[in-house]
C-alpha cells in the first residue's frame, strides 16, 4: 500500500459520506451537493446529512438537505477563504441558516491518516507490558474510562485493541472501530495517573501497525482544541488529512 492509495481510500469514503465524487475534494472551487442516505456511510456520522462540511485543503464540499442548498452555497462561496467556514464567525453564520432545519453544528474534528514512514519508524516506548486484544476481550471493558477506545453503543464495530498493563491492571487502551469499509478508526484512553509516560503513543502506534496487518487503513480523529490528542496522533505517525464539521437536530 502506498501513501497515495491511503489518501485515495479516505477520499472515496468521504465521497460516500457526502454523496459526491472523490474528485470533488481535489477541486479548487467549492462543491455543494444534496445529501442522500447510504448504508456505506461512516458509522460516526448522522446519515443523511442535514449539513456537513468537509475539506481536504483545497476547497469545501458541503453536503446538505436539498432545501438548504441555496443558502449553504451562498455561505461557503461568500467566505474569503474556504477554511474560514470552519472558524467561529463561519459557524455562527451557518447556525443561522440551520435554524430553519431546527439544527446546529454539533461537532468538528480534524482527521489524520498514517504516514507510512513515520508509523513504521516512530520512536515510541511504553515501560509497561502490552497485549493485543480482540472483541471477546472487550466484554467487561465498556466503562467510562475506556469510552474513547471502545464504543458501547456500537459494540459490534469494535475490532481490535492494544492494552497496557501494570501487573494485572489495565492502565491504557487503544481500540479501533470498523467505521468504514476500508478504514478503522483509532481511539485511545490512559488512566490519569499513568499519563505522560509514552503509553498513549505506543499503544496508538502498535494498533496502527496491527490494523495494517489486518488489511485495513488506520485513521485518527481529534477536536482541533484537543492539543494532547493532536500531539499523540503526530507522535504515533499520523498526519493531518481532512477536516469535517456536521450539524444535527437540536431536539432529537
Amino acid at each position: 500500500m502506498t501513501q497515495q492509495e491511503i489518501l485515495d481510500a479516505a477520499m472515496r469514503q468521504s465521497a460516500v459520506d457526502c454523496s459526491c465524487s472523490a474528485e470533488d475534494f481535489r477541486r479548487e472551487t467549492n462543491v455543494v451537493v444534496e445529501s442522500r442516505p447510504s448504508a456505506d456511510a461512516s458509522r460516526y456520522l448522522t446519515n443523511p446529512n442535514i449539513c456537513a462540511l468537509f475539506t481536504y485543503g483545497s476547497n469545501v464540499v458541503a453536503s446538505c438537505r436539498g432545501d438548504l442548498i441555496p443558502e449553504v452555497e451562498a455561505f461557503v462561496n461568500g467566505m474569503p477563504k474556504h477554511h474560514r467556514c470552519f472558524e467561529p464567525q463561519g459557524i455562527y453564520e451557518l447556525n443561522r441558516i440551520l435554524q430553519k432545519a431546527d439544527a446546529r453544528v454539533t461537532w468538528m474534528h480534524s482527521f489524520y491518516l498514517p504516514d507510512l514512514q513515520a508509523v513504521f519508524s516512530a520512536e515510541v516506548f511504553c515501560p509497561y507490558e502490552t497485549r493485543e486484544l480482540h472483541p471477546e476481550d472487550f466484554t467487561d471493558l465498556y466503562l467510562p474510562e475506556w469510552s474513547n477506545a471502545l464504543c458501547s453503543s456500537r459494540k459490534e464495530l469494535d475490532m481490535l485493541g492494544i492494552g497496557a498493563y501494570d501487573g494485572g491492571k489495565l492502565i491504557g487502551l487503544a481500540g479501533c472501530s470498523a467505521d468504514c469499509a476500508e478504514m478503522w478508526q483509532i481511539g485511545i484512553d490512559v488512566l490519569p495517573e499513568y499519563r505522560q509516560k509514552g503509553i498513549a503513543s505506543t499503544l496508538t502506534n502498535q494498533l496502527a501497525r496491527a490494523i495494517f496487518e489486518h488489511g485495513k487503513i488506520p485513521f485518527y480523529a481529534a477536536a482541533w482544541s484537543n492539543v494532547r490528542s493532536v500531539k499523540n496522533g503526530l507522535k504515533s505517525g499520523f498526519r493531518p488529512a481532512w477536516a469535517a464539521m456536521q450539524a444535527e437536530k437540536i431536539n432529537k
Side-chain angles (χ1 to χ4, degrees):
M1 183 175 294
T2 67
Q3 206 65 56
Q4 187 60 52
E5 288 171 336
I6 290 173
L7 179 61
D8 289 346
M11 287 187 172
R12 282 195 299 272
Q13 183 59 50
S14 292
V16 172
D17 296 339
C18 290
S19 308
C20 68
S21 163
E23 288 304 311
D24 287 334
F25 300 106
R26 295 186 171 94
R27 302 188 191 282
E28 294 297 324
T29 55
N30 299 320
V31 177
V32 181
V33 298
E34 182 174 1
S35 180
R36 299 184 299 273
S38 172
D40 297 322
S42 296
R43 301 302 189 269
Y44 55 85
L45 295 174
T46 301
N47 177 261
N49 302 306
I50 295 175
C51 184
L53 272 57
F54 281 60
T55 181
Y56 276 79
S58 63
N59 71 342
V60 168
V61 173
S63 174
C64 60
R65 275 181 11 183
D67 62 309
L68 297 175
I69 286 179
E71 288 183 86
V72 171
E73 190 167 45
F75 161 68
V76 297
N77 290 328
M79 286 291 172
K81 300 288 185 180
H82 70 270
H83 61 83
R84 299 290 187 190
C85 294
F86 296 83
E87 295 181 356
Q89 182 179 348
I91 295 173
Y92 297 149
E93 175 62 19
L94 184 58
N95 278 339
R96 183 192 64 78
I97 295 169
L98 292 169
Q99 286 179 354
K100 68 165 59 176
D102 191 30
R104 64 185 172 201
V105 173
T106 53
W107 64 263
M108 178 173 63
H109 279 66
S110 294
F111 289 83
Y112 298 75
L113 290 173
D115 179 305
L116 291 172
Q117 183 176 358
V119 165
F120 288 99
S121 64
E123 295 183 1
V124 293
F125 171 74
C126 173
Y128 299 95
E129 175 195 2
T130 63
R131 305 175 198 167
E132 185 170 299
L133 305 176
H134 302 91
E136 60 270 22
D137 302 311
F138 299 152
T139 304
D140 298 325
L141 299 180
Y142 288 97
L143 303 168
E145 55 264 46
W146 312 122
S147 59
N148 289 313
L150 302 174
C151 182
S152 59
S153 62
R154 300 194 301 268
K155 295 179 181 179
E156 71 281 2
L157 300 179
D158 290 332
M159 296 287 110
L160 192 65
I162 304 289
Y165 292 83
D166 185 358
K169 178 183 178 181
L170 181 65
I171 59 172
L173 177 63
C176 62
S177 176
D179 285 333
C180 316
E182 299 181 80
M183 305 192 300
W184 288 357
Q185 181 173 190
I186 293 177
I188 176 72
D189 290 293
V190 177
L191 296 181
E193 62 270 30
Y194 287 91
R195 292 172 184 167
Q196 306 299 316
K197 298 179 183 292
I199 297 171
S201 57
T202 298
L203 297 183
T204 303
N205 179 266
Q206 287 186 6
L207 184 54
R209 297 186 190 200
I211 291 170
F212 276 122
E213 291 176 359
H214 281 73
K216 301 295 182 180
I217 298 169
F219 72 108
Y220 186 88
W224 65 268
S225 56
N226 191 343
V227 176
R228 179 179 290 166
S229 182
V230 170
K231 287 182 176 180
N232 177 61
L234 295 173
K235 187 174 181 180
S236 304
F238 288 82
R239 300 294 180 262
W242 80 98
M245 178 167 71
Q246 189 177 49
E248 296 174 320
K249 281 285 188 182
I250 296 173
N251 300 308
K252 295 184 180 181

